[in-house]
Amino acid sequence: MNAKTVVLNGERMNYDHRLDYSILSDEVKVYEQTEPSQILERIQGFDIAVTKEMPVSGDIIRQFPDSVKLIVEAGTGYNNIDLDAAREKGITVCNVPSYSTERVAHTAIMMIMNLSSSMRKQISMLAEKDHTNFTKCMQVDHVEINGKTLGIVGAGHIGREVIKVAQALGMNILAYNVPAAEDEPGIHFATLEEVLSQSDYVSLHCPLMPATHHLINKERLALMKPTAFIINTARGALIDEAALIEALQEGRIAGAGLDVQEVEPPSEDNPLYYMDNVILTPHMGWRGLETRQRLVSIAADDIKNFLAGTPINVVS
């Protein structure tokens, strides 16, 4: 069957113009960006809509033409799409959960290793032409991660990949998962409170939904060791950012590695930009060229399988 696909915000994935969207289906129309007011006009006559982290409200979905049979969220999280409205319209929604597993996991490990070496502070000193780390005893913290405890919140695809690499580095693993899981060789499953209070590094790998919004709040940050670090490569709103900033400023935790923030990009006056114990990156975990190429390829396979009636990763 011939199919027509519209990509509504292609620039989000193809910001460097190195991806080939033509593989998605027989006919493909790509818009670099689409405002909410433009969505209904642009999907007219198309069978499939592809978005990347773009809000698509229920009011808009309920007005979709009958031609639209599939919405592809080109990524892992699908909290931006009103699934109830899609069900009402008989529109299938799928996501692509495994395309960035290794790259995001490696970003989390990178954060852990850099925080263990105070790399942010060291680079800041060099930028300020302060070379005293070379002429005096090293003036920043520098600790081994082998033997330290890594707490994983969300032991899904990415969480499991982080565990694999962390175990190769000699780290001990605590994990919190919903639904609860039984212990495995080298992995002890515990409550969230136990993971937070016993871990030297806590890495978040769960989806954003009402139950996980501000999962890490002021009270839960207070459970962490003052020497512990928190890593978030999942969704910014898993953490109450105001509470995190307060905890960092008061030294109640040692630092943070944040590839995602509550508001992206953060406002220019956000204190996180200026803290020596914070590594802040621009939601880069999924942005590697190979990762994005894999994303488009998997999305193309999902569209092909959907048209053929073969099972795909349906979320609605």
Side-chain angles (χ1 to χ4, degrees), residues 82-96:
D82 190 316
L83 300 183
D84 291 335
R87 291 189 195 99
E88 291 172 20
K89 287 288 291 185
I91 299 172
T92 299
V93 180
C94 73
N95 67 336
V96 186

Side-chain angles (χ1 to χ4, degrees), residues 255-277:
L258 307 172
D259 188 41
V260 290
Q261 300 85 40
E262 262 201 276
V263 176
E264 296 178 1
S267 62
E268 286 298 319
D269 61 351
N270 192 311
L272 294 171
Y273 279 125
Y274 310 105
M275 294 182 178
D276 286 335
N277 58 345

Side-chain angles (χ1 to χ4, degrees), residues 7-304:
V7 181
L8 291 173
N9 59 335
E11 188 178 59
R12 177 72 174 155
M13 295 171 279
N14 196 24
Y15 52 85
D16 55 1
H17 304 289
R18 299 173 73 179
L19 303 182
D20 178 13
Y21 285 124
S22 69
I23 67 172
L24 290 173
S25 67
D26 302 292
E27 183 179 336
V28 180
K29 173 69 175 178
V30 179
Y31 293 99
E32 296 291 276
Q33 299 180 43
T34 296
E35 297 298 324
S37 61
Q38 299 172 309
I39 292 175
L40 291 176
E41 175 188 350
R42 291 183 172 183
I43 63 171
Q44 295 299 321
F46 286 94
D47 307 292
I48 297 142
V50 177
T51 67
K52 173 65 173 172
E53 298 167 356
M54 188 181 88
V56 187
S57 71
D59 288 343
I60 291 175
I61 290 175
R62 291 183 181 95
Q63 299 177 66
F64 271 25
D66 292 340
S67 63
V68 178
K69 303 300 182 187
L70 176 67
I71 299 173
V72 179
E73 168 51 45
T76 303
Y78 46 86
N79 52 289
N80 50 297
I81 297 172
D82 190 316
L83 300 183
D84 291 335
R87 291 189 195 99
E88 291 172 20
K89 287 288 291 185
I91 299 172
T92 299
V93 180
C94 73
N95 67 336
V96 186
S98 60
Y99 80 98
S100 63
T101 298
E102 289 85 359
R103 187 64 187 86
V104 175
H106 296 169
T107 299
I109 294 292
M110 175 272 291
M111 297 281 193
I112 292 168
M113 298 185 77
N114 276 276
L115 289 166
S116 72
S117 301
S118 302
M119 196 59 66
R120 167 82 163 82
K121 176 62 175 175
Q122 291 196 59
I123 291 171
S124 295
M125 292 172 72
L126 289 174
E128 295 164 2
K129 298 187 177 354
D130 179 353
H131 302 159
T132 52
N133 272 337
F134 295 83
T135 57
K136 299 178 182 178
C137 291
M138 198 171 189
Q139 300 168 70
V140 297
D141 290 335
H142 184 59
V143 299
E144 297 178 350
I145 60 173
N146 50 292
K148 300 296 192 298
T149 296
L150 171 61
I152 296 290
V153 179
H157 292 293
I158 296 172
R160 293 275 178 171
E161 188 68 20
V162 174
I163 289 171
K164 183 174 77 174
V165 179
Q167 287 177 323
L169 294 169
M171 301 189 79
N172 303 313
I173 306 297
L174 278 179
Y176 168 74
N177 203 55
V178 177
E182 296 294 325
D183 285 0
E184 302 172 18
I187 306 175
H188 175 57
F189 285 90
T191 66
L192 179 58
E193 288 70 25
E194 288 171 326
V195 168
L196 293 173
S197 63
Q198 297 176 29
S199 298
D200 301 297
Y201 301 85
V202 174
S203 193
L204 307 182
H205 301 286
C206 44
L208 178 61
M209 55 184 65
T212 60
H213 182 266
H214 286 185
L215 180 71
I216 306 301
N217 54 24
K218 182 173 183 177
E219 291 72 27
R220 287 178 171 147
L221 286 166
L223 298 173
M224 294 178 63
K225 301 176 184 179
T227 55
F229 299 88
I230 192 161
I231 316 295
N232 190 5
T233 57
R235 287 292 184 267
L238 295 176
I239 300 178
D240 180 339
E241 194 168 281
L244 174 63
I245 289 170
E246 182 180 299
L248 290 164
Q249 289 174 331
E250 295 180 1
R252 287 189 270 116
I253 65 171
L258 307 172
D259 188 41
V260 290
Q261 300 85 40
E262 262 201 276
V263 176
E264 296 178 1
S267 62
E268 286 298 319
D269 61 351
N270 192 311
L272 294 171
Y273 279 125
Y274 310 105
M275 294 182 178
D276 286 335
N277 58 345
V278 174
I279 299 173
L280 206 63
T281 51
H283 206 152
M284 60 173 265
W286 63 274
R287 292 179 192 252
L289 176 60
E290 303 92 339
T291 311
R292 291 179 289 121
Q293 288 173 334
R294 187 182 306 115
L295 170 58
V296 175
S297 295
I298 296 174
D301 288 342
D302 283 346
I303 290 170
K304 178 181 177 181

